[in-house]
Amino acid sequence: MVLDTPLISKKAHAGNFIIIRINEAGERIPLTIADYDRNEGTITIVFQIVGKSTKLLFTLNEGDELLDVVGPLGNKIHIKKYENPVVIIGGGVGIAPCYPQAKELKEAGNKIIFILGARSSELLFWKDKSQAVCDELIICTDDGSEGIKGVVTDPLKEIINREAIDLVIAIGPMIMMKFVVLTTEGKMGLPKVDTMVSLNTIMVDGTGMCGGCRFLTKEGQTYFACVDGPDVDGHTVDFDNLLQRAKIFSAQETQSLSFDEQNCKALNKNT
Amino acid sequence: MAKKIPRQKMREQAPSERIKNFIEVPLGLTEEMAVLEAERCVQCPKPLCVAGCPVNVDIPGFIKLIKERKFQEAIAYIKDYNILPAICGRVCPQETQCEAECIMGKRWEPVAIGYLERFIADWERQNKLKECPDCEAPNNIKVAIVGSGPAGLTCAADLAKYGFDVTIFEALHKGGGVLVYGIPEFRLPKDIVADEIETLKMLGVKVQYNFIIGKILTIEDLREMGFKAIFIGVGAGLPIFLDIPGINLNNVVSANEFLTRANLMKAYKFPDYDTPINIGKVVTVIGGGNVAMDSARIALRLSAEKVIIVYRRSEAEMPARREEYHHGKEEGIEFKFLTNPIKLIGDDAGNVKEMEVIKMELGEPDESGRRRPIPINNSEFIIETDTVIMAIGARANPILTKAIPELKLNKWGYIETDDNGKTNIDDVYSGGDIVTGSATVISAMGAGRKAAKAIREYLLK
């Protein structure tokens, strides 16, 4: 979805996110900026329909307005020229926020190896776009319907065994990031590679105020994804705590969806 | 004569009723009650109450007008001093400020200054008699205000009255800062905050929501846009979590998160409103300030079966307003004083289930002047709980200050200013919690007012 937000687009960088609200009763939805066009004054967001809010977002048409858009939030990623290639791994909808990182790192003169992963072929997107900002594109699907059959850590292991890599960036489901980090932490007979992950946590304000997005480091220190991240050193993150925190509102998410469906049914009956 | 009239009692919703709703607890004085109460003021020639007010409202002046039933004049008069009387009449700690100084209080009970302030502001709003306060002629000089909390609103109002072209930039989607995300509906109805912001708009103040200065626009951008001075009133806001095991278990939240979900996002209307909130059967709030009281009373209204406040000092040291403490007690909140959490324990799914606490005793006074709580050996016990709310204060929010590296901060990250809110940068002023750390609505307003005066002097010199 492309949003007409000239001021945000002017300041947007890889790593930044926005928060939107669709309507008065709506929640504040954090979404990573997947692309920006400063000339057009637009930013692009990519979302997967998982709950009531994203379902509603999907019903919007070209020309519709969102009630609120705020951003760019969070820290932009550090862009520099690395000596050795950078591996970027996008899993599922996480492919989208990887794109501007690949683009900015490529523009800085880096060699980029881009791994796109998804459950199956129809969930892959932005293949051409990704191809244009990398030197090597690897596709893998869980069911083998496209590219390598397997998970993103399979080609990753091969690459870091094959050549020196200066940085791995992984954005996708929490569980995928957890396993990428396990792969690159210098155990399992593989070399250690610096790894950045983007934390997609529960969040309300996105400005450091609520602390709902907090995450633990393995040393037990607490940080906030919104102001200390969202891109952080993956080797310091306690993923098990994050996986547990991600479930805080799962009961309400189901309730909200079914409430919404009942309302729809009721509306249909009335008309 | 005056002393024979007893202090008028605020009408209130009964505790058993009000814990089932979010409607305001105190119902206000009637006209007759207000006039009677106004008669109690002895009109001291040297009123001590005025000195007790952080913005020095001429209290006997507006009370005299209420006594004479000149309500319209009374509200206009009060607004010369305080642009947000409906808010201050509700949330100011009068008992430690103006009313603490009232001469009537030495022998009898102090004049109910807060009730009268609230009465006159409500009278104007309910009778839809709001008038645009007098302003100086526009001077077309642009001033930016960052943050629409009490400091920013006051600074904006005063500058607009001085004739400046004022724009407020607010990070959230609603204006009012802590007045909307922090203070609950039953203590400060949100339509009152919205109404006070309307008054500002009558003064020509523009409000830009969803603008995070330091992100979407820098201070340099604001200068390029023609803003000649910038006031920073962004509040403290970064929540503090206790450094104890289990703090990142599920359903352990900051008061900021709990209050923002409940107040700003209206989670109490879930699923009609989309933002969820978890309550469970037993809610434990850690802390003894107004934020702790607000969180506890919201939890009760969100149908918690039991709400416990755990505070490490005793009742006497509790910083919450007495009125809110009494309201909380009436509503059935359980208080565990001299008790400090040492550990949170979760179930297999990572949800908090128990809080291990230790009994405390009071030792010698510490740097705050209050007696320091000391743990009593072997006095640990367990409180079963489904939700834990941390209401132990906030730190400076670094978003804006990080974007202005040349701005001088103190060691805690708060902005350093002189007595008039001037920072080390010529065109940048600041006030409220981002300068002082967590304090009150009225002290933030006082800071906003002083800064407005200083900005006027700076820009018109």
Side-chain angles (χ1 to χ4, degrees), chain A residues 100-136:
Chain A
Q101 304 212 1
K103 187 165 99 173
E104 288 186 17
L105 283 163
K106 177 82 181 155
E107 279 165 8
N110 289 292
K111 184 182 175 204
I112 308 288
I113 303 168
F114 205 156
I115 305 175
L116 307 185
R119 280 203 310 277
S120 68
S121 177
E122 67 269 16
L123 293 168
L124 284 165
F125 61 97
W126 281 14
K127 279 177 282 186
D128 294 345
K129 231 173 127 107
S130 304
Q131 181 78 64
V133 293
C134 73
D135 300 272
E136 186 183 347

Side-chain angles (χ1 to χ4, degrees), chain A residues 199-234:
Chain A
L199 300 180
N200 186 0
T201 57
I202 285 170
M203 200 175 274
V204 185
D205 62 290
T207 63
M209 214 175 75
C210 77
C213 68
R214 66 190 190 274
F215 63 96
L216 268 181
T217 62
K218 286 172 187 156
E219 286 77 41
Q221 285 160 305
T222 294
Y223 289 94
F224 294 167
C226 68
V227 288
D228 299 312
D231 293 81
V232 298
D233 177 354

Side-chain angles (χ1 to χ4, degrees), chain B residues 160-207:
Chain B
K161 284 202 267 182
Y162 296 151
F164 290 95
D165 177 2
V166 181
T167 306
I168 299 179
F169 296 95
E170 166 56 46
L172 292 173
H173 57 262
K174 273 207 181 72
V178 72
L179 305 173
V180 294
Y181 77 74
I183 303 178
E185 179 76 19
F186 55 82
R187 209 149 74 76
L188 177 62
K190 298 312 148 215
D191 53 356
I192 291 177
V193 182
D195 194 74
E196 302 276 35
I197 292 172
E198 282 310 303
T199 311
L200 257 66
K201 288 188 180 160
M202 284 166 81
L203 288 165
V205 173
K206 294 173 274 267
V207 189

Side-chain angles (χ1 to χ4, degrees), chain B residues 256-395:
Chain B
N256 267 1
E257 177 174 354
F258 187 77
L259 293 172
T260 304
R261 284 181 186 276
N263 299 329
L264 179 73
M265 304 311 293
K266 299 197 163 53
Y268 61 88
K269 294 182 178 167
F270 183 87
D272 286 327
Y273 275 65
D274 294 342
T275 304
I277 198 164
N278 278 342
I279 298 294
K281 288 197 175 111
V282 184
V283 176
T284 311
V285 182
I286 302 168
N290 288 320
V291 173
M293 299 301 141
D294 285 346
S295 304
R297 295 175 67 198
I298 285 182
L300 213 57
R301 282 160 176 77
L302 287 169
S303 66
E305 285 171 17
K306 185 163 152 188
V307 180
I308 307 163
I309 286 187
V310 170
Y311 180 52
R312 64 194 181 120
R313 300 180 201 252
S314 77
E315 184 177 350
E317 289 83 20
M318 212 169 45
R321 288 189 69 187
R322 289 291 110 172
E323 184 180 324
E324 302 313 330
Y325 169 48
H326 288 304
H327 278 150
K329 260 197 354 195
E330 279 177 357
E331 290 169 9
I333 289 164
E334 197 179 302
F335 287 83
K336 287 202 192 298
F337 294 112
L338 292 166
T339 305
N340 205 26
I342 47 177
K343 190 177 173 186
L344 299 173
I345 302 150
D347 62 13
D348 292 343
N351 299 316
V352 69
K353 276 291 155 241
E354 292 176 343
M355 180 194 291
E356 186 177 335
V357 295
I358 189 162
K359 295 296 281 176
M360 309 291 274
E361 58 189 349
L362 293 177
E364 294 299 307
D366 62 12
E367 60 275 16
S368 76
R370 295 176 298 177
R371 292 175 62 192
R372 185 190 301 276
I374 305 162
I376 302 171
N377 281 337
N378 302 318
S379 66
E380 294 88 345
F381 66 100
I382 296 278
I383 298 172
E384 284 184 20
T385 187
D386 302 302
T387 300
V388 174
I389 303 170
M390 295 278 152
I392 53 169
R395 291 178 290 135

Side-chain angles (χ1 to χ4, degrees), chain A residues 7-8 11 21 23-28 52-53 67-75 202-212 214-216 222 224 227 241 244-245 247-249 252 255-256 259, chain B residues 171-174 181 210-212 215-218 221 237-239 241 247-254 256-257 260-261 264-265 270-278 349-351 395 397-399 402:
Chain A
L7 280 174
I8 296 177
K11 291 288 163 72
R21 219 161 56 110
N23 54 26
E24 190 47 45
E27 50 184 346
R28 292 171 65 93
K52 184 183 167 191
S53 299
L67 185 60
D68 299 291
V69 181
V70 61
L73 290 155
N75 298 309
I202 285 170
M203 200 175 274
V204 185
D205 62 290
T207 63
M209 214 175 75
C210 77
R214 66 190 190 274
F215 63 96
L216 268 181
T222 294
F224 294 167
V227 288
N241 182 253
Q244 164 200 312
R245 288 184 63 76
K247 293 188 194 123
I248 295 177
F249 293 112
Q252 283 95 332
Q255 190 191 346
S256 193
F259 176 78
Chain B
L172 292 173
H173 57 262
K174 273 207 181 72
Y181 77 74
N210 298 316
F211 264 72
I212 300 178
K215 291 284 180 191
I216 192 163
L217 294 172
T218 61
D221 291 329
L238 218 63
F241 289 92
I247 203 71
N248 280 18
L249 285 168
N250 290 356
N251 305 324
V252 179
V253 296
S254 72
N256 267 1
E257 177 174 354
T260 304
R261 284 181 186 276
L264 179 73
M265 304 311 293
F270 183 87
D272 286 327
Y273 275 65
D274 294 342
T275 304
I277 198 164
N278 278 342
N351 299 316
R395 291 178 290 135
N397 189 316
I399 287 193
K402 237 165 67 180

Side-chain angles (χ1 to χ4, degrees), chain A residues 114-164:
Chain A
F114 205 156
I115 305 175
L116 307 185
R119 280 203 310 277
S120 68
S121 177
E122 67 269 16
L123 293 168
L124 284 165
F125 61 97
W126 281 14
K127 279 177 282 186
D128 294 345
K129 231 173 127 107
S130 304
Q131 181 78 64
V133 293
C134 73
D135 300 272
E136 186 183 347
L137 185 74
I138 300 165
I139 289 175
C140 51
T141 50
D142 293 2
D143 62 0
S145 51
E146 191 169 346
I148 305 166
K149 180 174 177 352
V151 288
V152 292
T153 43
D154 299 336
L156 175 66
K157 279 177 197 161
E158 240 173 74
I159 295 165
I160 59 176
N161 257 334
R162 171 183 87 189
E163 60 186 306

